């Protein structure tokens, strides 16, 4: 068991679950979690605009279920959620994402990602976990990172 091995050596494993980007493998198997309900190709390198759909409640619930599993498996108080490398091309064309943007009074898909990240941050906070993100996304967009502290 890698977690026990690390603990014996005073090493803390901080899991990273990238969201909303780097979702191609999940969307290949569960296309209903994406914007257009169709399986996507898994790239050999890099990332694509195929990210989790922030406009669908079932996608948010799926990701919360994943986080529940991660919280159970990893004793670390920290979980890293990536957040960078999430092109918004599909969100800009997705009726569900555009409806969420309108319903919440957001300006654009960048605001939608901030809202999405805040939802995940609040969920992890309710589980007693602290969150970290790929801060490059927040630096590049000049948006304040959601916090769990």
């Amino acid at each position: 068991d890698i977690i026990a091995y690390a603990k014996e050596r005073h090493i803390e494993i901080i899991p990273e679950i990238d969201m909303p980007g780097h979702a191609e493998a999940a969307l290949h198997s569960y296309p209903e979690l994406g914007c257009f309900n169709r399986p996507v190709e898994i790239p050999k390198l890099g990332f694509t605009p195929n990210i989790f759909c922030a406009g669908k409640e079932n996608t948010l619930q799926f990701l919360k279920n994943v986080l529940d599993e991660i919280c159970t498996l990893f004793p670390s108080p920290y979980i890293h959620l990536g957040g960078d490398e999430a092109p918004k091309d599909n969100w800009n064309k997705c009726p569900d994402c555009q409806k969420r943007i309108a319903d919440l009074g957001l300006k654009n898909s960048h605001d939608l990602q901030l809202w999405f990240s805040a939802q995940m941050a609040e969920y992890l906070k309710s589980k007693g976990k602290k969150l970290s993100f790929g801060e490059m996304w927040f630096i590049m967009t000049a948006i304040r990172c959601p916090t769990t502290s």
Side-chain angles (χ1 to χ4, degrees):
D1 178 40
I2 193 164
I3 296 170
Y5 180 85
K7 184 177 180 178
E8 289 171 5
R9 287 153 182 79
H10 306 286
I11 297 169
E12 181 178 5
I13 298 174
I14 299 174
E16 178 179 355
I17 306 299
D18 249 322
M19 59 177 75
H22 294 285
E24 292 88 0
L27 297 178
H28 182 79
S29 297
Y30 302 100
E32 67 276 9
L33 301 176
C35 287
F36 306 114
N37 298 319
R38 58 180 180 254
V40 301
E41 294 296 317
I42 300 171
K44 292 185 193 304
L45 290 172
F47 53 93
T48 73
N50 296 309
I51 64 178
F52 288 112
C53 181
K56 295 179 179 176
E57 285 302 318
N58 65 313
T59 300
L60 298 177
Q61 187 57 55
F62 173 87
L63 294 171
K64 289 175 182 178
N65 292 344
V66 168
L67 292 176
D68 286 343
E69 292 292 325
I70 296 302
C71 289
T72 301
L73 288 171
F74 293 92
S76 172
Y78 297 98
I79 295 179
H80 192 282
L81 292 186
D84 57 346
E85 300 177 340
K88 315 295 183 305
D89 308 48
N90 287 349
W91 282 9
N92 291 335
K93 297 181 277 189
C94 173
D96 295 310
C97 288
Q98 292 304 304
K99 181 176 183 328
R100 174 91 67 191
I101 289 169
D103 289 350
L104 295 173
L106 303 174
K107 289 183 231 160
N108 54 38
S109 61
H110 291 291
D111 282 356
L112 181 60
Q113 185 173 354
L114 183 60
W115 174 85
F116 171 90
S117 298
Q119 297 305 300
M120 296 302 123
E122 285 301 315
Y123 188 73
L124 285 174
K125 185 177 181 180
S126 77
K127 299 287 183 184
K129 298 290 186 175
K130 296 181 182 178
L131 164 69
S132 69
F133 283 100
E135 56 281 333
M136 186 54 63
W137 181 77
F138 294 98
I139 291 167
M140 291 174 63
T141 58
I143 293 175
R144 191 164 167 257
C145 180
T147 181
T148 53
S149 54

